[in-house]
Structure formats: C-alpha cells, structure tokens
Amino acid sequence: MIVLEHVNKVYENGFHALKDINLEFKKGEITVLIGPSGCGKSTTMKLINALNTPSSGRVLIDGKDISRLNPVELRRNIGYVIQSVGLFPHMNIAKNAGVVPRLKKWDKDKIEQKVNQLLDMVGLDHTTYGTRYPSELSGGQQQRVGVVRALAADPDIILMDEPFSALDPISREQLQDELIRLQQELNKTIIFVTHDMDEAIKIADTIVLMKDGEVIQTGRPDTILRHPANDFVRDFIGSKRLQNESTYEIPLVDEVMITNPVTAFPSRGLAEAIKMMESKRVDSLLIVDRNRQLQGAVSIYRVLDQYGEEGKTVADVMHPVRYSVASGSTLAQAIEIMDSHQLSNLPVVDSNNRFLGLITRGSVVKHLAEVYPTIVPPEQNGEGE
Amino acid sequence: MESEHLTFADFLSYISRNQGLLWEYFLQHIMMVAIGLGLAFIVGVPLGILCSKSKWAAKIILFITNILQVVPSLAMLVVLMLWMGLGTTTVMVGLFLYSLNPITRNTYVGLQQVEASYLESGKGIGMSPFQLLVQVRFPLALTYIMSGLRIAAVIAIGVVTIAPLVGGGGLGREIYAGLNSNNSLRIFAGAIPAAVLAIVADVVLGILQRKMDLSKRKSDGAAPSAAKAQKPA
Ligand SMILES: Nc1ncnc2c1ncn2[C@@H]1O[C@H](COP(=O)(O)OP(=O)(O)OP(=O)(O)O)[C@@H](O)[C@H]1O
Ligand SMILES: [Mg+2]
C-alpha cells in the first residue's frame, strides 16, 4: 500500500502545486488520478517514484518512508509508463522491453524468457517484433512495449501517466481492455493518470478527483457518479454522463414501447379484423375509439370462435384491458406488472387515459439490445481462445 | 617554366618518377591529421560531456575552444613553434587544438538534443545518471559527434598543408618546394592529393555520420520481412 501523508509540493519558482495531499493507494487496485490540466496529477504520481520530492509531508510504501530509500533502486522496482512512450530508438524491441531487468542484472536467459512471454501476452509475437526497432511499430504497438517494459522486472507498483491519451480511439480502447485483462491476471498496484472520465470509469477501482493541487473527491467510480461531492465534480463528470447513467439504469416505458401497434375501431366487423391481423402479422388487436380511449382487446382465437355470426363487431367479442401503465413510468414497473399477471403485452396510456403505445416482450428485448450492444457475443473473437 | 605547356602526361610521369617521396608525404599527411584528430576526439568528447553537465562549464569550455579555432592557423602554428620548437609534434598539437571546438561543441549539442521523453523514461525506470549517459544519451549523440569529427577532419587536412612552415612533413612539403622553385608540377603533385584526401574524408565520414543516426533506427531489410510477416497471418 502507498500512503501520502500531508504532502505539500512547492516548486522552486514558488508555485504551490500540491496542498496537503492525503491519499491511500490500495494494493492490487487501479487508482485513477483525474482532473483538469495542471491540477497536479503528474506531480502527485512522480512523488511515488521519487522523480519529485515532497516539500513537506511523507510518502510511504508498505510503511517505509521512501525518502530513506535509494531513488535509483526504488525506481527499478516501480514500473513507469508515460504518454510519450519513450522507447529508446536505438534499441530493438526486445532490448527496450528488457532494459529494467538488465539494470537489475538479471540472468540473460531469464530476461529473454520474461520479455518474450510478456511481448506475446500483449499480442506482439516476439519472433516477429523482438528484433524490430521502435520506429517500425505503430503508436499503439509502441505503447504495448512501453507497458511490457514497465512489467518486465515484475514490480508490484506501476505508474502510468496518461499512457493511452496520444493514441487513436480504437487503439486506446484496445489497450484499456488489455490493461484490465492483464490486471486480472497480475494484480498490481496501479496508479493511472488521465483526464478522460470515460477511461477512468472504465478501468478504475478507485477514482481520485483533483483540482488546483487538492483532492476533491475519492471513491469508487459508481459512488462518484451517483454522489458527486460538489458542482465541480458534477461538471467534470459531465451532465450527459450523469443523465445517461440514470436513464440506462431505469429507462421509461415511453422509450421502450412500440408507438404503432395495430389498433381497430370498435365498429369493425370480424372479417375486417382477421384481414388486419393477417396483413400486420399479429395475433391480437387493441380496440380504441375516436378519442383514442382504450376499449379493449381481441385475440385471433376469440374472433375465429365467433366468426360464423355475421353482423357482430369487434366490440362484441373484445375483452376488457385490465392493466395499463401510465406514460412516464419506468420499465421496471411495467415489467413487474407484466410478470405478476402473466401478460404478453401492456398498453401505455397518458393522464387522460389515451392510448400511446404498447410494451411487448419483443420491444423490451430490442431496447436492451440497443442499450447494451455488448451483451451480444462478438463472433470473430472465438478462435483466439 | 611555363605552365601552359604542361600536359597531364607530364604530371603523371612526374608522379611516377617521384612515387616514393610523394607516398611518404601522403602518409605523413594522413598520420598528422589522424593523431591530431584522435587527440581532439579523446579530449573533446569528455569536454562535451562536461559541458552538458553544467552551464558554467559549457560557457567556459566553449569560449576557450572557440577562440582556439578563430586564431588563424598560421599564427597558431607559429606560436606553438616558439614554445615547442620545429617539428611534426608542433603540427599535431596545432591540429589538436584546432579540432577541439567542432568535436566538443558537437558532442555537447548532440547530448543536449536528446528528446526529453527518452531522458524521462530512462530516469523513471531507474537508470543512474551515468547509465543514462552511456546507454541513452551518448548513442543518440553519436551522429552529432561524427559530424563534428567530419568538420574537424576536413579543416585539419587543409591546415596541415602549412606544416612545413613549422618544420612538419606531409604533402605541404611538395607544395612549398613547388612554390619555391616555381614548379607547378610539384605544386599540383602536393595539392591534388591533399584535396582528394579532404573530399574522401568528407564523403566517408558523411556516410558514417548517417549510419550512426540511431534516432530512427530500422532493422536490416525491415521492409521485406515485414511484408512477409503479414502475409501468412
Ligand atoms: N518543475 C516545475 N516547476 C514549476 N512548476 C511546475 C513544475 N512542474 C509542474 N509545475 C506546475 O505544477 C502544476 C501541476 O503540474 P502537473 O504536471 O502535476 O499537472 P497535471 O495535472 O499532470 O497536468 P496535465 O494534465 O496537463 O499533465 C502545473 O501548474 C505546472 O505548471
Ligand atoms: Mg501530467
């Protein structure tokens, strides 16, 4: 565990960059430092590998004050990934990846084995890429090597300063996914700096929100989204994201219902009703009057049953609709009604009881598929497993 | 003797008749340049490193080496001669002092221009200042250092032709002998090889300089192997 205790940082030019920072970075967690540019994220992170020293206060790793450790030794035991990657252009990929174990004077074979294993793990086949040079790799591939370099000497702690922010959106997503995957396997203590809230929400176990050298809020992503500490946090999260969060959790029936269900006036004859059901391929009709008041419903079976009696209208054979749900109700309420009364569909009505639309099982599934497209398993990834 | 009547054939026959002597001058020429440059390299590179360590050191060292280079070559050699006497050693010390500036300055510039991100990542992953110098900064400064050496070599090959004035050898002997006896054949026999030497040194060191630019290093035959690697996948 890493602890910052009453840390202040005043730069030589008198700038007070960090003001009484107290933080705990838990073992085996990804803690994301986030905040506007210049708020002191990098300054905070660099305290941990002694690239920065506090003007006052202490930095403790597993209870040890790091000001008593040899900074060069300390850094070899902490992985470090930066935005500009900083792979050495004159060393090939294998050399770059193995640079920290070499500094630690590991055995050559052991280094090679470790490097090859890690390169393969991040999707860079070591026989293809090991002998290439950084200029021969894409930005995303280079940063993968940057991550391998940080992992190679098996440090418990890894610092990542906006590691993915220079990448195109697709590579960024991929690397975020990979980081999450790696972390499940490796369980490192990771401190990750970003100013991208989506990235933070995606990868963080804990988010630390900073502003002007101070910590504004610390907590699980979910907690911060649900209970932003103040307007700054709310603004920083973005009203869009807050709203999305709430609507995704509890969509309203109005978003889910089909707005053009098949309806018929009460005066329709049975033959007409069958014709309509046939052409719209439905097994029931909702009967509404000219004021769009819901009168009842007929199923195909009822109509066929009474078909012989000419002159009968749907009003004669319909059954009353006992359940409906008001516009503005949540989908959860609708589903609960459908569930407890074994309904295959549920009309939505406005405050004047006018018919607006229909919730069906199909419409619920369709809505979920739109909101959570990822629950549909991707087809291509099958063979890699 | 009238130069108009001389032909290229005369020149060749002069050279072949005096092959032994000219060859000796040529080797002396090269040797003086090589030793002068070698010394300048051995001293100049550490001086350049020193410059990169402290701003004050840089100011003082570059000021001095700059002055050394600005002094006219003849004046420098004469002053050295007064102090060290006639002879080849005086010439080589002169060349050494002369070459110090381009090598020191280029080493300094080369070390300074290394991108900050390499330095930050080097320091951040736990390189000591010395390891950072040897493993990162120096390799990435090599092309600059080579460029300094190249400038110094071309200057030195020219300057060393005045060596005979302070008792040194080399192709300058032939040139001055030609001047004294008003024999253009001898002047050419000294000047042409000196000029060719300068051009060759410039070209060869230029190639080396480009080879040592490691900032965009590529694996050998990268393009075809990359193409091959993609196909089977
Ligand atoms: N060496 C320094 N000397 C003086 N001031 C500095 C120094 N380094 C950083 N600062 C200042 O300290 C503040 C915090 O810098 P820091 O790099 O930690 O910001 P950051 O949160 O990482 O911002 P960004 O998102 O832009 O990277 C900034 O206002 C910056 O100008
Ligand atoms: Mg920063």
Side-chain angles (χ1 to χ4, degrees):
Chain A
M1 188 168 66
I2 305 165
V3 178
L4 307 192
E5 266 180 13
H6 297 293
V7 171
N8 280 275
K9 176 69 189 178
V10 182
Y11 280 112
E12 294 83 65
N13 61 6
F15 183 77
H16 201 157
L18 297 180
K19 297 161 193 160
D20 194 37
I21 302 286
N22 290 286
L23 279 175
E24 243 183 61
F25 301 94
K26 296 206 181 68
K27 228 187 183 75
E29 275 203 354
I30 301 183
T31 304
V32 172
L33 298 177
I34 189 166
S37 188
C39 68
K41 306 181 291 291
S42 302
T43 305
T44 305
M45 166 174 276
K46 288 177 184 170
L47 291 169
I48 297 168
N49 64 355
L51 286 175
N52 255 338
T53 47
S55 308
S56 70
R58 301 196 299 167
V59 180
L60 306 165
I61 296 180
D62 294 331
K64 266 181 267 170
D65 187 338
I66 64 161
S67 65
R68 306 201 176 162
L69 306 176
N70 173 350
V72 169
E73 240 359 272
L74 174 74
R75 287 177 205 135
R76 287 180 193 170
N77 292 313
I78 297 179
Y80 190 45
V81 188
I82 55 177
Q83 176 180 2
S84 48
V85 191
L87 293 183
F88 304 123
H90 57 293
M91 296 182 192
N92 67 23
I93 298 307
K95 280 262 152 57
N96 262 295
V99 63
V100 186
R102 274 209 309 287
L103 290 173
K104 297 182 83 168
K105 307 214 161 48
W106 281 19
D107 193 69
K108 260 198 179 136
D109 295 338
K110 191 179 162 197
I111 297 177
E112 193 183 320
Q113 195 189 339
K114 183 79 190 175
V115 162
N116 290 349
Q117 177 215 336
L118 285 172
L119 283 176
D120 293 346
M121 194 157 144
V122 299
L124 296 172
D125 174 35
H126 71 268
T127 52
T128 312
Y129 290 97
T131 54
R132 291 209 195 161
Y133 285 86
S135 66
E136 298 169 311
L137 264 57
S138 73
Q141 291 172 330
Q142 287 187 28
Q143 194 55 290
R144 285 191 168 85
V145 180
V147 172
V148 169
R149 177 173 67 181
L151 291 172
D154 252 333
D156 295 325
I157 299 168
I158 297 168
L159 309 181
M160 308 181 92
D161 196 345
E162 307 200 26
F164 307 146
S165 59
L167 304 177
D168 62 280
I170 294 174
S171 310
R172 192 183 314 148
E173 291 264 336
Q174 282 178 347
L175 275 148
Q176 289 165 352
D177 292 340
E178 257 164 61
L179 179 68
I180 296 169
R181 185 173 57 83
L182 281 175
Q183 171 65 355
Q184 277 168 357
E185 230 168 286
L186 302 174
N187 264 311
K188 305 286 185 185
T189 305
I190 297 177
I191 320 290
F192 189 109
V193 167
T194 182
H195 50 239
D196 175 357
M197 196 64 191
D198 290 315
E199 186 167 68
I201 292 170
K202 184 165 174 186
I203 66 170
D205 294 307
T206 300
I207 290 180
V208 174
L209 233 139
M210 296 182 68
K211 182 193 173 201
D212 298 336
E214 288 175 282
V215 173
I216 304 296
Q217 190 174 7
T218 307
R220 305 275 154 195
D222 201 58
T223 314
I224 289 187
L225 285 173
R226 283 170 196 265
H227 311 287
N230 56 26
D231 283 344
F232 166 74
V233 180
R234 212 165 285 124
D235 281 353
F236 196 81
I237 296 169
S239 52
K240 187 173 118 256
R241 200 175 281 105
L242 280 174
Q243 201 179 25
N244 282 352
E245 277 299 314
S246 60
T247 54
Y248 281 156
E249 270 173 46
I250 31 170
L252 301 180
V253 288
D254 306 66
E255 297 166 59
V256 182
M257 67 188 186
I258 35 178
T259 50
N260 56 345
V262 188
T263 58
F265 291 128
S267 55
R268 293 285 172 209
L270 298 187
E272 278 174 286
I274 288 180
K275 195 95 198 129
M276 280 176 84
M277 286 190 252
E278 187 193 338
S279 71
K280 296 277 165 66
R281 296 172 185 286
V282 293
D283 63 359
S284 63
L285 289 178
L286 287 164
I287 311 304
V288 287
D289 65 14
R290 289 182 197 280
N291 298 319
R292 291 199 72 75
Q293 298 287 324
L294 193 59
Q295 303 293 317
V298 292
S299 71
I300 184 96
Y301 310 108
R302 285 287 282 248
V303 176
L304 288 175
D305 195 36
Q306 315 260 327
Y307 189 64
E309 303 181 39
E310 227 172 291
K312 274 205 172 175
T313 63
V314 288
D316 300 323
V317 300
M318 73 185 181
H319 58 87
V321 175
R322 246 174 262 141
Y323 303 97
S324 67
V325 67
S327 159
S329 311
T330 63
L331 179 62
Q333 291 171 303
I335 289 176
E336 178 159 0
I337 296 171
M338 290 169 76
D339 197 44
S340 55
H341 303 287
Q342 302 286 319
L343 306 172
S344 63
N345 54 44
L346 185 68
V348 179
V349 295
D350 70 5
S351 52
N352 295 322
N353 218 26
R354 271 196 297 257
F355 178 63
L356 293 174
L358 191 68
I359 304 277
T360 66
R361 287 181 185 149
S363 71
V364 172
V365 171
K366 186 157 170 277
H367 178 82
L368 290 179
E370 277 165 10
V371 176
Y372 306 104
T374 46
I375 62 174
V376 179
E379 279 165 22
Q380 289 102 322
N381 295 351
E383 55 188 345
E385 311 295 303
Chain B
M1 203 181 274
E2 304 250 33
S3 58
E4 288 164 42
H5 301 296
L6 289 171
T7 63
F8 191 59
D10 293 334
F11 177 65
L12 287 183
S13 82
Y14 174 80
I15 285 187
S16 68
R17 267 183 285 124
N18 297 279
Q19 223 174 11
L21 187 65
L22 286 172
W23 186 243
E24 192 183 317
Y25 286 160
F26 186 71
L27 290 182
Q28 277 174 356
H29 203 92
I30 291 183
M31 197 197 60
M32 284 188 291
V33 169
I35 291 180
L37 277 183
L39 282 176
F41 190 82
I42 292 169
V43 176
V45 170
L47 281 181
I49 292 171
L50 203 61
C51 287
S52 76
K53 292 269 174 220
S54 116
K55 272 197 182 132
W56 275 106
K59 271 196 183 144
I60 296 168
I61 291 170
L62 292 176
F63 179 74
I64 294 173
T65 58
N66 224 351
I67 287 187
L68 286 176
Q69 204 192 9
V70 171
V71 176
S73 45
L74 188 58
M76 162 106 79
L77 288 182
V78 169
V79 170
L80 282 175
M81 181 191 72
L82 292 178
W83 177 39
M84 304 178 63
L86 288 167
T88 304
T89 317
T90 305
V91 178
M92 290 188 297
V93 171
L95 289 182
F96 157 71
L97 293 176
Y98 233 69
S99 309
L100 214 46
N101 187 50
I103 292 176
T104 304
R105 177 175 296 276
N106 275 46
T107 305
Y108 171 59
V109 170
L111 292 172
Q112 292 303 110
Q113 59 76 42
V114 174
E115 252 180 60
S117 66
Y118 304 145
L119 302 181
E120 194 197 336
S121 66
K123 191 175 178 195
I125 61 173
M127 285 186 178
S128 67
F130 182 72
Q131 287 167 328
L132 198 59
L133 177 70
V134 173
Q135 297 185 27
V136 180
R137 298 179 75 181
F138 199 75
L140 293 176
L142 270 181
T143 181
Y144 287 79
I145 298 172
M146 280 313 294
S147 145
L149 195 66
R150 178 182 172 192
I151 296 167
V154 173
I155 296 175
I157 290 167
V159 168
V160 81
T161 49
I162 61 171
L165 296 183
V166 292
L171 292 164
R173 279 264 166 95
E174 188 67 11
I175 297 174
Y176 283 101
L179 285 172
N180 288 337
S181 60
N182 200 16
N183 180 344
S184 2
L185 272 181
R186 298 197 73 177
I187 296 176
F188 284 131
I192 291 176
V196 169
L197 196 60
I199 293 169
V200 169
D202 189 44
V203 170
V204 170
L205 290 173
I207 292 170
L208 263 177
Q209 177 197 335
R210 256 164 274 132
K211 274 240 163 94
M212 290 193 178
D213 182 2
L214 305 180
S215 66
K216 291 190 182 61
R217 195 165 174 188
K218 297 247 188 313
S219 46
D220 298 324
S225 84
K228 253 183 240 157
Q230 273 165 5
K231 264 180 205 161

